[in-house]
Amino acid sequence: MAEQSDSNKAAAQPAVLTATIQITRKATGKVETYQIVGQPVKDEPKKEAP
Amino acid sequence: MAGTTTHPEAFRNTVADLVDSTLSTTAKLVFRLSGTAASPGTAVATLSMANPAFGSASAGVITAGTITSDTNATGNASPVATATLETGAGTVIVHTTVAASGDAINLSGGLTIGAGDTVACSALTYAAMP
């Protein structure tokens, strides 16, 4: 049986998590600032048995 | 033909507020090594969120309240690859891959957190799917 076409699937774009973090290094006391942007991901879908 | 799927703002607010309410009263922000929502990577730093963790949604976005620093991070030699928002009991509600930019990032090794480092988060937002 042929695989189903993707043309009828409606997939929303993912949500977005953004954060500003500061890391103070134990060894030096230096503070580093980072901008983090992440997109929530879902686990790989399992293929259904034929 | 590829299309664009979007949602009304009211529904996006509902989703964002549901994330907040599901995190409940003792939510955590955890930076981790590579993993999945079902099988999260090793925790590198754990920060405690406020109660409630976020304010009410606006335009599909929720903004976190004060987040308590991890003043003695577990750390790891491998770079941070993911972050989770989870309940106090450890149930993952949001799992996200992390791309970081900053003033001292090691482009070849990524963002690493050392044992005993202090990790603070001064701003955190979650934007529901558009």
Side-chain angles (χ1 to χ4, degrees):
Chain A
M1 183 174 155
E3 286 197 21
Q4 186 177 3
S5 166
D6 282 346
S7 62
N8 61 348
K9 293 181 178 176
Q13 297 173 58
V16 177
L17 193 75
T18 58
T20 302
I21 67 170
Q22 294 80 32
I23 301 174
T24 305
R25 299 300 181 183
K26 180 183 180 184
T28 63
K30 182 182 177 187
V31 180
E32 302 167 3
T33 299
Y34 298 94
Q35 306 293 328
I36 286 179
V37 178
Q39 294 192 334
V41 290
K42 58 185 179 183
D43 291 335
E44 286 294 315
K46 292 176 182 168
K47 201 153 192 170
E48 291 180 14
Chain B
M1 183 178 96
T4 301
T5 303
T6 59
H7 305 81
E9 181 176 321
F11 184 73
R12 296 179 65 221
N13 286 340
T14 299
V15 171
D17 284 335
L18 180 61
V19 168
D20 183 28
S21 62
T22 307
L23 285 167
S24 194
T25 58
T26 56
K28 307 286 186 189
L29 165 64
V30 185
F31 295 100
R32 297 177 175 276
L33 305 186
S34 182
T36 66
S39 182
T42 301
V44 175
T46 302
L47 289 70
S48 295
M49 303 185 73
N51 175 22
F54 291 89
S56 297
S58 176
V61 177
I62 49 177
T63 300
T66 301
I67 298 173
T68 302
S69 302
D70 183 344
T71 57
N72 187 19
T74 302
N76 198 289
S78 298
V80 171
T82 62
T84 53
L85 298 179
E86 53 193 70
T87 67
T91 300
V92 173
I93 307 302
V94 176
H95 179 273
T96 180
T97 55
V98 165
S101 61
D103 54 13
I105 196 161
N106 177 343
L107 291 176
S108 60
L111 168 60
T112 58
I113 296 174
D117 287 352
T118 294
V119 181
C121 182
S122 59
L124 176 68
T125 61
Y126 171 90
M129 70 288 169

